[in-house]
mmCIF file of all heavy atoms in Angstrom:
data_model
loop_
_atom_site.group_PDB
_atom_site.id
_atom_site.type_symbol
_atom_site.label_atom_id
_atom_site.label_comp_id
_atom_site.label_asym_id
_atom_site.label_seq_id
_atom_site.Cartn_x
_atom_site.Cartn_y
_atom_site.Cartn_z
ATOM 1 N N PRO A 1 0.807 -1.229 0.000
ATOM 2 C CA PRO A 1 0.000 0.000 0.000
ATOM 3 C C PRO A 1 0.837 1.275 0.000
ATOM 4 O O PRO A 1 0.483 2.257 -0.651
ATOM 5 C CB PRO A 1 -0.831 -0.139 1.280
ATOM 6 C CG PRO A 1 -1.017 -1.614 1.421
ATOM 7 C CD PRO A 1 0.305 -2.199 0.997
ATOM 8 N N THR A 2 1.966 1.281 0.719
ATOM 9 C CA THR A 2 2.812 2.471 0.724
ATOM 10 C C THR A 2 3.419 2.713 -0.651
ATOM 11 O O THR A 2 3.465 3.848 -1.139
ATOM 12 C CB THR A 2 3.931 2.344 1.773
ATOM 13 O OG1 THR A 2 3.343 2.199 3.068
ATOM 14 C CG2 THR A 2 4.826 3.580 1.767
ATOM 15 N N GLU A 3 3.883 1.657 -1.297
ATOM 16 C CA GLU A 3 4.423 1.798 -2.650
ATOM 17 C C GLU A 3 3.343 2.273 -3.617
ATOM 18 O O GLU A 3 3.604 3.083 -4.506
ATOM 19 C CB GLU A 3 5.010 0.461 -3.115
ATOM 20 C CG GLU A 3 6.259 0.051 -2.370
ATOM 21 C CD GLU A 3 6.632 -1.406 -2.571
ATOM 22 O OE1 GLU A 3 5.824 -2.150 -3.170
ATOM 23 O OE2 GLU A 3 7.719 -1.811 -2.117
ATOM 24 N N MET A 4 2.115 1.784 -3.429
ATOM 25 C CA MET A 4 1.017 2.199 -4.297
ATOM 26 C C MET A 4 0.722 3.682 -4.113
ATOM 27 O O MET A 4 0.534 4.414 -5.089
ATOM 28 C CB MET A 4 -0.235 1.364 -3.995
ATOM 29 C CG MET A 4 -1.392 1.603 -4.949
ATOM 30 S SD MET A 4 -1.022 0.967 -6.604
ATOM 31 C CE MET A 4 -2.329 1.737 -7.567
ATOM 32 N N ARG A 5 0.700 4.132 -2.890
ATOM 33 C CA ARG A 5 0.438 5.556 -2.640
ATOM 34 C C ARG A 5 1.546 6.416 -3.238
ATOM 35 O O ARG A 5 1.291 7.490 -3.775
ATOM 36 C CB ARG A 5 0.300 5.813 -1.136
ATOM 37 C CG ARG A 5 -1.004 5.314 -0.537
ATOM 38 C CD ARG A 5 -1.127 5.700 0.923
ATOM 39 N NE ARG A 5 -1.168 7.151 1.079
ATOM 40 C CZ ARG A 5 -2.290 7.878 1.010
ATOM 41 N NH1 ARG A 5 -3.438 7.295 0.744
ATOM 42 N NH2 ARG A 5 -2.249 9.180 1.187
ATOM 43 N N LEU A 6 2.776 5.953 -3.129
ATOM 44 C CA LEU A 6 3.897 6.691 -3.697
ATOM 45 C C LEU A 6 3.752 6.775 -5.211
ATOM 46 O O LEU A 6 3.918 7.857 -5.811
ATOM 47 C CB LEU A 6 5.208 5.996 -3.314
ATOM 48 C CG LEU A 6 6.514 6.659 -3.769
ATOM 49 C CD1 LEU A 6 6.642 8.067 -3.199
ATOM 50 C CD2 LEU A 6 7.704 5.802 -3.352
ATOM 51 N N LEU A 7 3.403 5.660 -5.852
ATOM 52 C CA LEU A 7 3.228 5.671 -7.303
ATOM 53 C C LEU A 7 2.057 6.558 -7.712
ATOM 54 O O LEU A 7 2.123 7.265 -8.730
ATOM 55 C CB LEU A 7 3.008 4.243 -7.813
ATOM 56 C CG LEU A 7 2.798 4.092 -9.324
ATOM 57 C CD1 LEU A 7 3.952 4.702 -10.111
ATOM 58 C CD2 LEU A 7 2.616 2.616 -9.693
ATOM 59 N N LEU A 8 0.991 6.566 -6.924
ATOM 60 C CA LEU A 8 -0.148 7.425 -7.238
ATOM 61 C C LEU A 8 0.226 8.905 -7.162
ATOM 62 O O LEU A 8 -0.253 9.720 -7.951
ATOM 63 C CB LEU A 8 -1.318 7.124 -6.291
ATOM 64 C CG LEU A 8 -2.046 5.803 -6.550
ATOM 65 C CD1 LEU A 8 -3.032 5.523 -5.421
ATOM 66 C CD2 LEU A 8 -2.764 5.821 -7.893
ATOM 67 N N GLU A 9 1.089 9.254 -6.201
ATOM 68 C CA GLU A 9 1.564 10.639 -6.119
ATOM 69 C C GLU A 9 2.310 11.016 -7.390
ATOM 70 O O GLU A 9 2.089 12.087 -7.963
ATOM 71 C CB GLU A 9 2.462 10.839 -4.896
ATOM 72 C CG GLU A 9 1.727 11.014 -3.593
ATOM 73 C CD GLU A 9 0.943 12.317 -3.533
ATOM 74 O OE1 GLU A 9 1.304 13.281 -4.244
ATOM 75 O OE2 GLU A 9 -0.043 12.364 -2.782
ATOM 76 N N PHE A 10 3.200 10.146 -7.826
ATOM 77 C CA PHE A 10 3.945 10.413 -9.058
ATOM 78 C C PHE A 10 3.009 10.437 -10.264
ATOM 79 O O PHE A 10 3.134 11.289 -11.154
ATOM 80 C CB PHE A 10 5.031 9.354 -9.268
ATOM 81 C CG PHE A 10 6.234 9.507 -8.385
ATOM 82 C CD1 PHE A 10 6.622 8.488 -7.536
ATOM 83 C CD2 PHE A 10 6.988 10.673 -8.411
ATOM 84 C CE1 PHE A 10 7.741 8.628 -6.728
ATOM 85 C CE2 PHE A 10 8.108 10.824 -7.608
ATOM 86 C CZ PHE A 10 8.483 9.798 -6.756
ATOM 87 N N SER A 11 2.062 9.504 -10.308
ATOM 88 C CA SER A 11 1.164 9.399 -11.458
ATOM 89 C C SER A 11 0.243 10.602 -11.576
ATOM 90 O O SER A 11 -0.202 10.941 -12.673
ATOM 91 C CB SER A 11 0.319 8.118 -11.340
ATOM 92 O OG SER A 11 1.125 6.973 -11.323
ATOM 93 N N ALA A 12 -0.065 11.225 -10.441
ATOM 94 C CA ALA A 12 -0.951 12.387 -10.465
ATOM 95 C C ALA A 12 -0.263 13.611 -11.059
ATOM 96 O O ALA A 12 -0.929 14.572 -11.458
ATOM 97 C CB ALA A 12 -1.432 12.708 -9.047
ATOM 98 N N ALA A 13 1.071 13.585 -11.126
ATOM 99 C CA ALA A 13 1.809 14.742 -11.638
ATOM 100 C C ALA A 13 3.012 14.272 -12.443
ATOM 101 O O ALA A 13 4.157 14.557 -12.083
ATOM 102 C CB ALA A 13 2.250 15.638 -10.486
ATOM 103 N N PRO A 14 2.794 13.552 -13.538
ATOM 104 C CA PRO A 14 3.931 13.060 -14.330
ATOM 105 C C PRO A 14 4.757 14.210 -14.883
ATOM 106 O O PRO A 14 4.210 15.221 -15.328
ATOM 107 C CB PRO A 14 3.254 12.273 -15.456
ATOM 108 C CG PRO A 14 1.867 12.825 -15.548
ATOM 109 C CD PRO A 14 1.495 13.195 -14.152
ATOM 110 N N GLY A 15 6.079 14.053 -14.802
ATOM 111 C CA GLY A 15 6.966 15.095 -15.298
ATOM 112 C C GLY A 15 7.224 16.211 -14.314
ATOM 113 O O GLY A 15 8.066 17.080 -14.556
ATOM 114 N N THR A 16 6.506 16.208 -13.191
ATOM 115 C CA THR A 16 6.675 17.237 -12.164
ATOM 116 C C THR A 16 7.604 16.719 -11.073
ATOM 117 O O THR A 16 7.445 15.597 -10.597
ATOM 118 C CB THR A 16 5.317 17.601 -11.533
ATOM 119 O OG1 THR A 16 4.444 18.100 -12.549
ATOM 120 C CG2 THR A 16 5.485 18.652 -10.443
ATOM 121 N N VAL A 17 8.565 17.545 -10.691
ATOM 122 C CA VAL A 17 9.494 17.146 -9.636
ATOM 123 C C VAL A 17 8.794 17.246 -8.284
ATOM 124 O O VAL A 17 8.249 18.292 -7.929
ATOM 125 C CB VAL A 17 10.753 18.034 -9.649
ATOM 126 C CG1 VAL A 17 11.694 17.618 -8.515
ATOM 127 C CG2 VAL A 17 11.464 17.933 -10.986
ATOM 128 N N LEU A 18 8.807 16.149 -7.550
ATOM 129 C CA LEU A 18 8.220 16.111 -6.216
ATOM 130 C C LEU A 18 9.351 16.030 -5.194
ATOM 131 O O LEU A 18 10.186 15.131 -5.259
ATOM 132 C CB LEU A 18 7.294 14.902 -6.077
ATOM 133 C CG LEU A 18 6.157 14.784 -7.108
ATOM 134 C CD1 LEU A 18 5.311 13.554 -6.820
ATOM 135 C CD2 LEU A 18 5.301 16.038 -7.124
ATOM 136 N N SER A 19 9.364 16.947 -4.261
ATOM 137 C CA SER A 19 10.419 16.966 -3.253
ATOM 138 C C SER A 19 10.211 15.841 -2.247
ATOM 139 O O SER A 19 9.098 15.335 -2.055
ATOM 140 C CB SER A 19 10.428 18.307 -2.513
ATOM 141 O OG SER A 19 9.286 18.422 -1.681
ATOM 142 N N ARG A 20 11.291 15.466 -1.585
ATOM 143 C CA ARG A 20 11.190 14.438 -0.554
ATOM 144 C C ARG A 20 10.279 14.884 0.575
ATOM 145 O O ARG A 20 9.514 14.083 1.120
ATOM 146 C CB ARG A 20 12.586 14.109 -0.013
ATOM 147 C CG ARG A 20 13.481 13.399 -1.031
ATOM 148 C CD ARG A 20 14.906 13.286 -0.514
ATOM 149 N NE ARG A 20 15.763 12.503 -1.402
ATOM 150 C CZ ARG A 20 16.346 12.995 -2.494
ATOM 151 N NH1 ARG A 20 16.165 14.280 -2.819
ATOM 152 N NH2 ARG A 20 17.116 12.230 -3.245
ATOM 153 N N ASP A 21 10.340 16.164 0.952
ATOM 154 C CA ASP A 21 9.477 16.665 2.022
ATOM 155 C C ASP A 21 8.008 16.567 1.634
ATOM 156 O O ASP A 21 7.156 16.215 2.458
ATOM 157 C CB ASP A 21 9.823 18.129 2.353
ATOM 158 C CG ASP A 21 11.137 18.241 3.103
ATOM 159 O OD1 ASP A 21 11.584 17.232 3.685
ATOM 160 O OD2 ASP A 21 11.723 19.340 3.101
ATOM 161 N N ARG A 22 7.690 16.876 0.375
ATOM 162 C CA ARG A 22 6.303 16.765 -0.063
ATOM 163 C C ARG A 22 5.840 15.313 -0.029
ATOM 164 O O ARG A 22 4.714 15.022 0.405
ATOM 165 C CB ARG A 22 6.142 17.322 -1.476
ATOM 166 C CG ARG A 22 4.754 17.057 -2.058
ATOM 167 C CD ARG A 22 4.561 17.658 -3.417
ATOM 168 N NE ARG A 22 3.336 17.196 -4.036
ATOM 169 C CZ ARG A 22 2.846 17.649 -5.185
ATOM 170 N NH1 ARG A 22 3.496 18.595 -5.848
ATOM 171 N NH2 ARG A 22 1.730 17.160 -5.687
ATOM 172 N N LEU A 23 6.711 14.407 -0.462
ATOM 173 C CA LEU A 23 6.332 12.997 -0.447
ATOM 174 C C LEU A 23 6.177 12.481 0.981
ATOM 175 O O LEU A 23 5.275 11.682 1.263
ATOM 176 C CB LEU A 23 7.373 12.172 -1.203
ATOM 177 C CG LEU A 23 7.402 12.425 -2.718
ATOM 178 C CD1 LEU A 23 8.618 11.752 -3.349
ATOM 179 C CD2 LEU A 23 6.119 11.925 -3.380
ATOM 180 N N LEU A 24 7.031 12.927 1.898
ATOM 181 C CA LEU A 24 6.874 12.555 3.300
ATOM 182 C C LEU A 24 5.523 13.002 3.830
ATOM 183 O O LEU A 24 4.843 12.268 4.553
ATOM 184 C CB LEU A 24 7.985 13.184 4.146
ATOM 185 C CG LEU A 24 9.319 12.454 4.233
ATOM 186 C CD1 LEU A 24 10.336 13.305 4.954
ATOM 187 C CD2 LEU A 24 9.150 11.102 4.931
ATOM 188 N N GLU A 25 5.121 14.209 3.465
ATOM 189 C CA GLU A 25 3.849 14.742 3.946
ATOM 190 C C GLU A 25 2.661 14.026 3.314
ATOM 191 O O GLU A 25 1.700 13.663 4.000
ATOM 192 C CB GLU A 25 3.766 16.242 3.646
ATOM 193 C CG GLU A 25 2.466 16.884 4.080
ATOM 194 C CD GLU A 25 2.395 18.354 3.704
ATOM 195 O OE1 GLU A 25 3.401 18.897 3.225
ATOM 196 O OE2 GLU A 25 1.308 18.946 3.887
ATOM 197 N N ARG A 26 2.725 13.794 2.002
ATOM 198 C CA ARG A 26 1.575 13.264 1.284
ATOM 199 C C ARG A 26 1.439 11.751 1.408
ATOM 200 O O ARG A 26 0.321 11.222 1.488
ATOM 201 C CB ARG A 26 1.658 13.652 -0.197
ATOM 202 C CG ARG A 26 1.609 15.146 -0.445
ATOM 203 C CD ARG A 26 0.244 15.720 -0.124
ATOM 204 N NE ARG A 26 -0.766 15.214 -1.035
ATOM 205 C CZ ARG A 26 -1.053 15.763 -2.203
ATOM 206 N NH1 ARG A 26 -0.399 16.838 -2.611
ATOM 207 N NH2 ARG A 26 -1.993 15.242 -2.964
ATOM 208 N N VAL A 27 2.561 11.033 1.406
ATOM 209 C CA VAL A 27 2.502 9.574 1.444
ATOM 210 C C VAL A 27 2.600 9.044 2.870
ATOM 211 O O VAL A 27 1.862 8.135 3.252
ATOM 212 C CB VAL A 27 3.622 8.959 0.571
ATOM 213 C CG1 VAL A 27 3.605 7.433 0.657
ATOM 214 C CG2 VAL A 27 3.467 9.412 -0.880
ATOM 215 N N TRP A 28 3.498 9.614 3.666
ATOM 216 C CA TRP A 28 3.700 9.125 5.032
ATOM 217 C C TRP A 28 2.914 9.909 6.065
ATOM 218 O O TRP A 28 2.957 9.590 7.243
ATOM 219 C CB TRP A 28 5.194 9.126 5.369
ATOM 220 C CG TRP A 28 5.897 7.948 4.779
ATOM 221 C CD1 TRP A 28 6.135 6.746 5.387
ATOM 222 C CD2 TRP A 28 6.443 7.836 3.452
ATOM 223 N NE1 TRP A 28 6.779 5.901 4.521
ATOM 224 C CE2 TRP A 28 6.987 6.537 3.321
ATOM 225 C CE3 TRP A 28 6.521 8.704 2.356
ATOM 226 C CZ2 TRP A 28 7.594 6.094 2.160
ATOM 227 C CZ3 TRP A 28 7.119 8.257 1.190
ATOM 228 C CH2 TRP A 28 7.648 6.979 1.092
ATOM 229 N N ASP A 29 2.211 10.945 5.644
ATOM 230 C CA ASP A 29 1.353 11.717 6.544
ATOM 231 C C ASP A 29 2.158 12.393 7.652
ATOM 232 O O ASP A 29 1.704 12.512 8.786
ATOM 233 C CB ASP A 29 0.277 10.809 7.142
ATOM 234 C CG ASP A 29 -0.909 11.586 7.696
ATOM 235 O OD1 ASP A 29 -1.054 12.765 7.348
ATOM 236 O OD2 ASP A 29 -1.677 11.012 8.494
ATOM 237 N N TYR A 30 3.389 12.785 7.335
ATOM 238 C CA TYR A 30 4.207 13.502 8.308
ATOM 239 C C TYR A 30 3.819 14.977 8.302
ATOM 240 O O TYR A 30 3.983 15.650 7.298
ATOM 241 C CB TYR A 30 5.696 13.399 7.942
ATOM 242 C CG TYR A 30 6.384 12.123 8.343
ATOM 243 C CD1 TYR A 30 5.673 10.954 8.548
ATOM 244 C CD2 TYR A 30 7.757 12.087 8.509
ATOM 245 C CE1 TYR A 30 6.311 9.783 8.901
ATOM 246 C CE2 TYR A 30 8.416 10.907 8.856
ATOM 247 C CZ TYR A 30 7.683 9.763 9.051
ATOM 248 O OH TYR A 30 8.320 8.615 9.397
ATOM 249 N N GLY A 31 3.347 15.445 9.438
ATOM 250 C CA GLY A 31 3.080 16.865 9.554
ATOM 251 C C GLY A 31 4.292 17.607 10.084
ATOM 252 O O GLY A 31 4.227 18.769 10.424
ATOM 253 N N TRP A 32 5.411 16.904 10.156
ATOM 254 C CA TRP A 32 6.656 17.469 10.657
ATOM 255 C C TRP A 32 7.797 16.926 9.819
ATOM 256 O O TRP A 32 7.612 16.020 9.021
ATOM 257 C CB TRP A 32 6.856 17.081 12.131
ATOM 258 C CG TRP A 32 6.904 15.595 12.336
ATOM 259 C CD1 TRP A 32 7.999 14.793 12.347
ATOM 260 C CD2 TRP A 32 5.791 14.714 12.550
ATOM 261 N NE1 TRP A 32 7.657 13.482 12.560
ATOM 262 C CE2 TRP A 32 6.307 13.398 12.682
ATOM 263 C CE3 TRP A 32 4.412 14.908 12.639
ATOM 264 C CZ2 TRP A 32 5.489 12.299 12.894
ATOM 265 C CZ3 TRP A 32 3.605 13.801 12.850
ATOM 266 C CH2 TRP A 32 4.143 12.529 12.979
ATOM 267 N N GLY A 33 8.979 17.465 10.023
ATOM 268 C CA GLY A 33 10.125 16.983 9.270
ATOM 269 C C GLY A 33 10.433 15.536 9.609
ATOM 270 O O GLY A 33 10.358 15.126 10.759
ATOM 271 N N GLY A 34 10.756 14.757 8.617
ATOM 272 C CA GLY A 34 11.076 13.350 8.836
ATOM 273 C C GLY A 34 12.352 12.964 8.123
ATOM 274 O O GLY A 34 12.964 13.763 7.425
ATOM 275 N N ASP A 35 12.759 11.731 8.305
ATOM 276 C CA ASP A 35 13.974 11.219 7.704
ATOM 277 C C ASP A 35 13.693 10.875 6.245
ATOM 278 O O ASP A 35 12.881 9.990 5.950
ATOM 279 C CB ASP A 35 14.424 9.978 8.472
ATOM 280 C CG ASP A 35 15.797 9.494 8.041
ATOM 281 O OD1 ASP A 35 16.243 9.877 6.936
ATOM 282 O OD2 ASP A 35 16.419 8.736 8.799
ATOM 283 N N THR A 36 14.373 11.556 5.320
ATOM 284 C CA THR A 36 14.102 11.344 3.896
ATOM 285 C C THR A 36 14.617 10.001 3.390
ATOM 286 O O THR A 36 14.325 9.624 2.259
ATOM 287 C CB THR A 36 14.714 12.478 3.057
ATOM 288 O OG1 THR A 36 16.129 12.547 3.301
ATOM 289 C CG2 THR A 36 14.074 13.810 3.391
ATOM 290 N N ARG A 37 15.367 9.259 4.233
ATOM 291 C CA ARG A 37 15.774 7.916 3.824
ATOM 292 C C ARG A 37 14.551 7.035 3.576
ATOM 293 O O ARG A 37 14.591 6.126 2.747
ATOM 294 C CB ARG A 37 16.669 7.280 4.889
ATOM 295 C CG ARG A 37 18.072 7.839 4.941
ATOM 296 C CD ARG A 37 18.901 7.160 6.012
ATOM 297 N NE ARG A 37 18.346 7.382 7.339
ATOM 298 C CZ ARG A 37 18.910 6.931 8.462
ATOM 299 N NH1 ARG A 37 20.030 6.221 8.397
ATOM 300 N NH2 ARG A 37 18.380 7.163 9.634
ATOM 301 N N VAL A 38 13.474 7.299 4.303
ATOM 302 C CA VAL A 38 12.237 6.536 4.099
ATOM 303 C C VAL A 38 11.777 6.685 2.657
ATOM 304 O O VAL A 38 11.384 5.710 2.001
ATOM 305 C CB VAL A 38 11.141 7.011 5.070
ATOM 306 C CG1 VAL A 38 9.819 6.321 4.768
ATOM 307 C CG2 VAL A 38 11.554 6.757 6.510
ATOM 308 N N VAL A 39 11.838 7.923 2.151
ATOM 309 C CA VAL A 39 11.429 8.181 0.764
ATOM 310 C C VAL A 39 12.398 7.514 -0.200
ATOM 311 O O VAL A 39 11.984 6.814 -1.139
ATOM 312 C CB VAL A 39 11.365 9.697 0.491
ATOM 313 C CG1 VAL A 39 11.035 9.966 -0.986
ATOM 314 C CG2 VAL A 39 10.337 10.364 1.395
ATOM 315 N N ASP A 40 13.686 7.719 0.015
ATOM 316 C CA ASP A 40 14.693 7.218 -0.920
ATOM 317 C C ASP A 40 14.620 5.696 -1.066
ATOM 318 O O ASP A 40 14.695 5.168 -2.179
ATOM 319 C CB ASP A 40 16.091 7.632 -0.468
ATOM 320 C CG ASP A 40 16.293 9.133 -0.507
ATOM 321 O OD1 ASP A 40 15.583 9.799 -1.271
ATOM 322 O OD2 ASP A 40 17.165 9.634 0.218
ATOM 323 N N VAL A 41 14.489 4.990 0.058
ATOM 324 C CA VAL A 41 14.455 3.536 -0.010
ATOM 325 C C VAL A 41 13.186 3.057 -0.709
ATOM 326 O O VAL A 41 13.216 2.125 -1.517
ATOM 327 C CB VAL A 41 14.574 2.909 1.388
ATOM 328 C CG1 VAL A 41 14.378 1.399 1.321
ATOM 329 C CG2 VAL A 41 15.937 3.216 1.999
#
């Protein structure tokens, strides 16, 4: 499910650069700064 949500974020904006912080907020529901290694892995 996490991989699916990540792919849906990318699919909703193809060709648009999504920052790690935005992905942390949108996919992992972080309302605060988090470790971007979660995104990278």
Side-chain angles (χ1 to χ4, degrees):
T2 299
E3 291 165 352
M4 187 69 194
R5 286 185 63 87
L6 183 60
L7 180 56
L8 287 171
E9 280 293 335
F10 285 122
S11 299
T16 300
V17 179
L18 304 181
S19 70
R20 292 172 175 82
D21 287 340
R22 172 177 170 174
L23 291 170
L24 276 173
E25 179 183 353
R26 297 291 294 273
V27 177
W28 281 267
D29 199 17
Y30 279 23
W32 59 92
D35 188 341
T36 58
R37 286 180 298 182
V38 174
V39 176
D40 295 336
V41 174

